[in-house]
Amino acid sequence: MSAIALDGVYPAMLFSNYKTEGFFDEMFNGNAQLRPHYKQLFACVNELSKKDFAQKRQAVDLSFLRMGVTFTVYGDQEGTERIFPFDLIPRIIPNKEWQVLEKGLKQRITALNLFLHDLYHEQRILKEGVIPASYVLSARHFRREFMNFRVPRDIYIHICGTDLIRDNDGTYMVLEDNARSPSGVSYLLENRQAMKRAFPNFFEKIGVRPVDHYAADLLATLRHIAPGGKENATVVVLTPGIYNSAYFEHCFLAREMGVPIVEGRDLVVRDAKVYMRTTKGLQQVDVIYRRIDDDFLDPMVFRRDSSLGVPGLVSAYKAGQVSLANSIGTGVADDKVMYYFVPRMIKFYLGEDPILPNVPTYLPNEKQDRKYVLENLPKLVVKAANEAGGYGMLIGPKATKTELADFKRKVEAEPRNYIAQPTISLSRHPTCCDARAEGRHIDLRPYILYGDKIRIVPGGLTRVALKKGSLVVNSSQGGGSKDTWVLFGDE
């Protein structure tokens, strides 16, 4: 298509050579026209000079540096801790669009929780053949130890981050559900604060819905599961420590909620109760927002070599003296193979069709699918069932012959551990690159809280692949983020 032509001073300069290049673009339609919900933003930015905009850019960069908004890259030779890259052009979602996403996400987390309760009790969905039992029984994070254990309020997933993408037609699709310990919400909140400091007048003029109630919503969600419905329950955030990639986020959430952040060594179990060591003695803990995987939670039950967890924690949990979020055993729900079956779960438990479709997915463990996958690896994206952060992944069209051969061997050796999907042409969004806008691929991770009710902070974390042409948006793989604005209206 031809370059964007717009009236105005700064936006026209910023987008003077912008091209959508045949991709679905969030800001411009196929005729190079600005989409209605971005018009107010352009009107506001037009009031700024180029110098003003550059100063805003510098101010935001400086604030991220001062706030220490960082993430950790494991195994990086140039240093592990980095400032999280942030792009100044926000992604905007009109209200009508958000209403559909919100409804679809609520449907999804409801079905996933019903699935987990069923799985750890009656197993109707397996007995009726809706999901082959072999997939569940072979799932790495299925915890047989918790069969028939009743979790507080029957809720397993309290905090979920569901990744959404848009294809070349603009259709939203679910890419995966992160039901163990989803990260990134701290960046969502910091992004908003940075943008409000840089552009304080924009938000009211454009009609952007606030997100700063997230911490209060999270605390309400956690207190809802306190043992015995205890009022003013003591809540803590349990972190693996400073070397964890999301340590910044753990500290951020504890501070925002006004609760202590603790490591395993700060907690002790006495008489099936969990206590926190304080300068005034032991204080009983009621709810733990744990950011440690099941395997490392309690060396007396899971990995004996773990020094991150708390000996005896599982016995206190089973005795109903402490509650955990998310519940032990939720990992089976974000096994990427289980993702394949979520539409069936929605139909089985709710009698509804999925509002948000899955990306078409192949299971190499099925003979026909395996044949197709092995013959079409160069066209597909292949993912390991229990990896995250962009690790254990093959993007066929970008892979070398050696990488393709390596993944072929892996899939043949362990087909249960992989899924494959067609390469989706992710939507793009204008992104600042050397003082001008270029299209970069994006996704969206909304955060869903399930407590006394389901709460979803408007928007989510928009992740952006900063490398031109890259489809990988993970921060550990060179991605950054944008602020996500959900409007009160549609323009």
Side-chain angles (χ1 to χ4, degrees):
M1 62 169 267
S2 59
I4 305 296
L6 294 163
D7 294 330
V9 183
Y10 189 64
M13 188 280 295
L14 187 64
F15 292 94
S16 59
N17 291 308
Y18 187 78
K19 296 179 181 178
T20 57
E21 299 176 304
F23 293 99
F24 182 89
D25 193 277
E26 299 285 342
M27 189 179 285
F28 298 98
N29 66 21
N31 297 318
Q33 300 297 310
L34 194 63
R35 296 187 191 277
H37 49 285
Y38 279 92
K39 287 182 178 175
Q40 287 288 341
L41 173 69
F42 261 70
C44 289
V45 176
N46 252 341
E47 296 172 0
L48 302 173
S49 67
K50 183 179 178 183
K51 183 180 177 184
D52 288 339
F53 196 81
Q55 287 176 340
K56 303 286 186 189
R57 166 80 273 170
Q58 290 172 357
V60 168
D61 286 346
L62 191 60
S63 71
F64 272 71
L65 189 63
R66 285 179 174 162
M67 295 295 292
V69 183
T70 62
F71 69 100
T72 301
V73 179
Y74 296 120
D76 189 273
Q77 299 298 316
E78 297 175 2
T80 58
E81 197 165 5
R82 297 179 182 172
I83 299 294
F84 195 48
F86 175 68
D87 184 69
L88 214 55
I89 306 175
R91 181 221 194 116
I92 300 179
I93 300 174
N95 180 59
K96 190 175 178 181
E97 214 169 80
W98 176 249
Q99 295 299 322
V100 176
L101 295 181
E102 195 172 46
K103 197 173 172 186
L105 293 168
K106 286 181 177 178
Q107 179 193 55
R108 202 165 176 99
I109 197 170
T110 301
L112 283 167
N113 268 299
L114 289 169
F115 165 68
L116 285 165
H117 184 273
D118 184 28
L119 192 60
Y120 286 106
H121 292 81
E122 296 86 1
Q123 298 192 337
R124 284 195 304 120
I125 200 165
L126 305 185
K127 290 171 184 170
E128 296 187 29
V130 178
I131 299 177
S134 60
Y135 281 115
V136 172
L137 300 176
S138 62
R140 182 173 146 193
H141 297 289
F142 175 53
R143 300 296 182 193
R144 291 172 179 76
E145 307 93 321
F146 285 85
M147 283 299 298
N148 298 314
F149 173 67
R150 188 165 184 182
V151 301
R153 308 273 190 181
D154 288 338
I155 304 171
Y156 287 79
I157 306 172
H158 310 91
I159 302 107
C160 185
T162 295
D163 292 344
L164 303 174
I165 59 170
R166 296 182 91 172
D167 67 9
N168 221 27
D169 298 323
T171 302
Y172 280 99
M173 308 173 95
V174 177
L175 190 61
E176 63 183 41
D177 304 287
N178 296 279
R180 275 179 288 167
S181 190
S183 293
V185 73
S186 58
Y187 302 125
L188 178 165
L189 299 171
E190 285 286 12
N191 289 352
R192 177 59 55 86
Q193 288 303 314
M195 290 293 280
K196 286 175 81 171
R197 284 193 292 271
F199 305 103
N201 301 324
F202 280 19
F203 290 84
E204 190 173 349
K205 280 185 182 176
I206 297 173
V208 182
R209 289 180 62 179
V211 297
D212 50 11
H213 50 81
Y214 178 83
D217 287 350
L218 176 60
L219 186 57
T221 298
L222 295 171
R223 284 190 164 151
H224 177 67
I225 57 170
K230 186 177 179 180
E231 292 186 7
N232 297 318
T234 299
V235 177
V236 300
V237 176
L238 176 60
T239 176
I242 61 171
Y243 297 110
N244 184 266
S245 62
Y247 183 67
F248 164 82
E249 175 154 302
H250 304 163
C251 295
F252 178 91
L253 291 176
R255 186 177 71 239
E256 291 293 307
M257 286 193 290
V259 306
I261 182 166
V262 297
E263 296 183 26
R265 61 191 176 190
D266 300 318
L267 301 178
V268 61
V269 177
R270 301 270 170 81
D271 299 326
K273 295 178 182 176
V274 180
Y275 294 90
M276 170 174 52
R277 294 186 172 94
T278 76
T279 54
K280 297 179 181 176
L282 296 179
Q283 179 183 353
Q284 189 173 351
V285 172
D286 303 301
V287 182
I288 299 175
Y289 179 24
R290 50 89 173 222
R291 300 296 296 257
I292 298 178
D293 282 348
D294 290 353
D295 284 344
F296 302 96
L297 263 184
D298 183 346
M300 296 176 71
V301 178
F302 302 119
R303 284 185 55 158
R304 295 184 181 280
D305 60 342
S306 171
S307 58
L308 302 175
V310 185
L313 178 59
V314 168
S315 65
Y317 182 50
K318 284 190 167 181
Q321 296 291 349
V322 69
S323 299
L324 297 175
N326 288 333
S327 299
I328 293 174
T330 56
V332 66
D334 73 4
D335 181 317
K336 289 182 174 59
V337 172
M338 287 300 117
Y339 156 88
Y340 175 89
F341 296 105
V342 174
R344 296 189 194 181
M345 295 176 199
I346 292 171
K347 194 74 177 173
F348 183 73
Y349 295 114
L350 304 176
E352 301 171 1
D353 292 324
I355 296 168
L356 299 172
N358 273 15
V359 173
T361 302
Y362 302 93
L363 297 183
N365 205 44
E366 301 292 324
K367 189 176 178 182
Q368 281 301 108
D369 281 13
R370 181 163 64 250
K371 183 173 185 295
Y372 178 83
V373 170
L374 294 176
E375 290 176 355
N376 292 278
L377 273 181
K379 303 177 188 172
L380 300 171
V381 175
V382 183
K383 301 174 182 174
N386 292 294
E387 293 284 357
Y391 296 100
M393 183 172 168
L394 173 85
I395 298 181
K398 305 276 184 184
T400 64
K401 287 184 178 177
T402 304
E403 289 168 334
L404 289 169
D406 183 42
F407 258 77
K408 186 178 181 185
R409 281 193 295 273
K410 288 180 178 176
V411 171
E412 286 175 327
E414 202 176 359
R416 164 60 180 82
N417 194 40
Y418 292 93
I419 65 167
Q421 296 169 329
T423 310
I424 303 290
S425 181
L426 304 187
S427 67
R428 298 202 318 186
H429 197 288
T431 300
C432 283
C433 302
D434 297 327
R436 64 193 179 93
E438 291 185 3
R440 293 289 185 270
H441 294 292
I442 58 170
D443 77 352
L444 175 67
R445 176 177 290 183
Y447 295 88
I448 308 110
L449 299 175
Y450 194 149
D452 56 323
K453 58 183 178 180
I454 300 173
R455 299 174 170 94
I456 306 178
V457 64
L461 180 68
T462 291
R463 300 184 298 180
V464 53
L466 295 175
K467 295 177 187 171
K468 187 173 178 60
S470 173
L471 294 170
V472 184
V473 298
N474 305 80
S475 55
S476 54
Q477 309 292 323
S481 73
K482 292 173 169 290
D483 197 7
T484 310
W485 295 0
V486 173
L487 304 185
F488 283 109
D490 293 323
E491 293 188 17

